Amino acid sequence: VQLQASGGGLVQAGGSLSLSCVASSGTIRRPNSVSWYRQSPGKERELIASIGSRGTITYDDSVKGRFAISRDNSKGTVYLQMNSLKSEDTAVYYCVHVDLSTGYNYWGQGTLVTVSS
């Protein structure tokens, strides 16, 4: 699965950004789930949101109520709407496509989000 994440950038605290993760047509594995991870400097990579093939959604407590994950299967795209951003949200954000048939994880290249205080 070839993944392209985009939408990162510089935003002030309290602002919003929307990330997209597009899976190349013809490479998508089904059934699948898609997750967003992030990694801040000096910290472990952490799972922040996931959406299953049937739309089941989970969030880490750190983003619950501020971030929203969604998917458009017709476009092979998963979105992460990020609102009320905080400086601690600064990180490289990665999307991960999980092939539920094999358990294999496919990682995108990451997109940098910087939140200035």
Side-chain angles (χ1 to χ4, degrees):
V1 180
Q2 298 172 5
L3 300 172
Q4 181 70 43
S6 63
L10 174 64
V11 64
Q12 288 188 333
S16 299
L17 278 176
S18 181
L19 305 183
S20 298
C21 177
V22 181
S24 296
S25 177
T27 70
I28 298 171
R29 300 292 186 267
R30 293 186 175 89
N32 64 70
S33 67
V34 180
S35 299
W36 285 96
Y37 285 73
R38 68 184 180 188
Q39 187 167 23
S40 304
K43 294 187 177 181
E44 296 286 323
R45 192 172 292 182
E46 60 176 342
L47 171 63
I48 58 170
S50 295
I51 185 164
S53 58
R54 297 184 178 183
T56 302
I57 291 173
T58 58
Y59 296 104
D60 183 78
D61 287 345
S62 64
V63 305
K64 198 173 294 182
R66 300 187 299 121
F67 290 11
I69 189 172
S70 60
R71 64 189 298 167
D72 184 339
N73 291 332
S74 67
K75 297 180 179 179
T77 303
V78 172
Y79 305 95
L80 185 68
Q81 177 64 40
M82 306 186 295
N83 301 322
S84 302
L85 284 161
K86 306 174 182 179
S87 57
E88 51 263 45
D89 294 318
T90 294
V92 177
Y93 284 71
Y94 300 89
C95 60
V96 180
H97 176 115
V98 182
D99 181 343
L100 297 178
S101 297
T102 64
Y104 193 83
N105 291 2
Y106 298 86
W107 288 78
Q109 87 286 3
T111 184
L112 176 63
V113 172
T114 303
V115 183
S116 63
S117 57

